[in-house]
Amino acid sequence: MPPPYVSNSSYNITSADTIRPGWVGQCNQRGTIDIVWNCFSTVFISLWVMLHLNVPADHEGFWTSFFRKARWLILGALAPETVLLASGGQWASAKRSLTDMRELGAKGWTLVHGFYADSGGFILQTLDSSPFPVTAKQIHYLVKEKYLCVPDITEKEIFDKSKADQFTKTIACLQTGWFVTECIGRAIQSLPISPLELCTCAIIICTVAVYFFWLYKPLNVTTPTTLTVDCSIATILLRAGADAEKPFWNTPLDFVEPPTSYTFGNWPSLAKHWGPYRKPFDRIPNDRNPQLYGIQQRFAYGFLCVSFSTISFADWYFDFATTTERIIWRTACITAEASLFVHATTEAMSHHAPPHDYMYIEGYIIRWPANIAFFVPAATYFVARLALIGVALSSLRSLPAESYVNLQWSTFIPHL
């Protein structure tokens, strides 16, 4: 006799001892819609709270910013490691700026200032050029060369510009905490965890790490701070010497740091459609290259990526509806792990190469044939991720009956 929470008509008998309901209503147990809603709502609120995009340009309206955030939400759902890498790179840059500015005696400069600068929070106004954003490293150069004083803006004033919603962040923390706790509880009670729930847990790992990296980054700032210098950009370039003689790619201060500091900047055709292409830039793109120089940073990022990928193996013995789905899931797990291993090995080798030759995007990734070591694993990994997501969604049509059993929380409470 079937359990009372599933109707007789919803059963598919696939073997002598296996009961596989189709779409299951809620009744007194959790149903299919509960699993879908919990997963999608958790992923959405986690990604929405996690994303701290850069300051938009003055001419960009609400819908431009909205669709930009939507693209990053989709990217975060499909490949959250890319958002993790971008946030880690911004955090590393902010840390470097803190060290550099403290060496100049700028005791008031904090991580918040570094994030604010690298997100386009400071606009430089010279005597002969239209305003353009300057990064933390470029501000350090201008202060060091006595063109500017250290920006007179406090950390509190920067956060006053931020539109961080503490209530939403609290809801996100409660939602993700409850979701992970429920999955752990199901594992303890030997109840099945659906592939979709497992994929959601993997995304949570990345979103928590990204939230840590962006903890000090202002959120949704729309009005930058203008820095004015009493000289022309021509004077700055002339005094810089030979380093500033080349035509600029992003802004006139490209000579301070590599002009290929942004991913799409290496491919003009992509930048035209996905990034700012007005010269000089009117905003700082969100796809800043990682530039993780320290082996500790690389190790930490690699550990997080491996944790994200490895969690899929927890459903290695999951009771999929068909053998084909089981094979696809296992193959995708192995492919994703192998692709990450190849990429990590290449990164480790490039770390010991001269910085000017193998500086992530500036190095082997845009150089033929060395870039094969990046694009082939990246392509196979992306296909594997799509396969995992596809199987996770298709498995909802026929999950094991135990997948709909609610947790017995009383078993976790000591009692007589």
Side-chain angles (χ1 to χ4, degrees), residues 120-271:
F122 291 111
I123 298 293
L124 185 68
Q125 177 66 69
T126 62
L127 297 178
D128 63 343
S129 175
S130 58
F132 59 88
V134 285
T135 64
K137 190 170 184 179
Q138 292 168 347
I139 291 177
H140 171 264
Y141 173 82
L142 294 173
V143 172
K144 182 180 179 181
E145 297 299 324
K146 311 298 183 183
Y147 295 112
L148 277 178
C149 295
V150 177
D152 185 20
I153 182 172
T154 65
E155 182 176 314
K156 183 178 180 179
E157 290 173 333
I158 293 176
F159 273 125
D160 282 342
K161 291 174 171 284
S162 176
K163 298 177 179 61
D165 187 347
Q166 298 301 327
F167 176 76
T168 305
K169 289 184 177 181
T170 302
I171 295 298
C173 291
L174 292 175
Q175 174 73 8
T176 54
W178 172 258
F179 188 92
V180 173
T181 301
E182 190 173 18
C183 289
I184 294 174
R186 296 188 68 84
I188 293 175
Q189 294 189 5
S190 299
L191 294 174
I193 301 175
S194 69
L196 187 61
E197 291 173 307
L198 206 60
C199 288
T200 302
C201 287
I203 292 177
I204 289 175
I205 292 177
C206 283
T207 56
V208 170
V210 170
Y211 185 76
F212 167 77
F213 284 132
W214 276 339
L215 185 62
Y216 293 99
K217 182 177 180 180
L219 175 66
N220 293 339
V221 176
T222 56
T223 305
T225 303
T226 301
L227 304 176
T228 304
V229 295
D230 296 328
C231 64
S232 63
I233 193 66
T235 301
I236 297 176
L237 298 178
L238 183 63
R239 292 178 181 175
D243 292 338
E245 291 180 354
K246 296 180 180 179
F248 71 85
W249 179 258
N250 299 329
T251 71
L253 296 182
D254 278 351
F255 66 92
V256 178
E257 58 184 343
T260 53
S261 293
Y262 308 98
T263 305
F264 286 129
N266 297 283
W267 295 280
S269 58
L270 292 178

Side-chain angles (χ1 to χ4, degrees), residues 294 302 371:
N371 55 7

Side-chain angles (χ1 to χ4, degrees), residues 6-18:
V6 181
S7 63
N8 291 336
S9 61
S10 65
Y11 276 98
N12 296 320
I13 307 301
T14 57
S15 65
D17 57 353
T18 302

Side-chain angles (χ1 to χ4, degrees), residues 89-99 109-111 114-115 118 136:
Q90 293 176 16
W91 178 82
S93 177
K95 291 282 288 186
R96 286 193 294 267
S97 77
L98 179 61
T99 302
W109 189 271
T110 65
L111 276 177
F115 274 115
D118 284 336

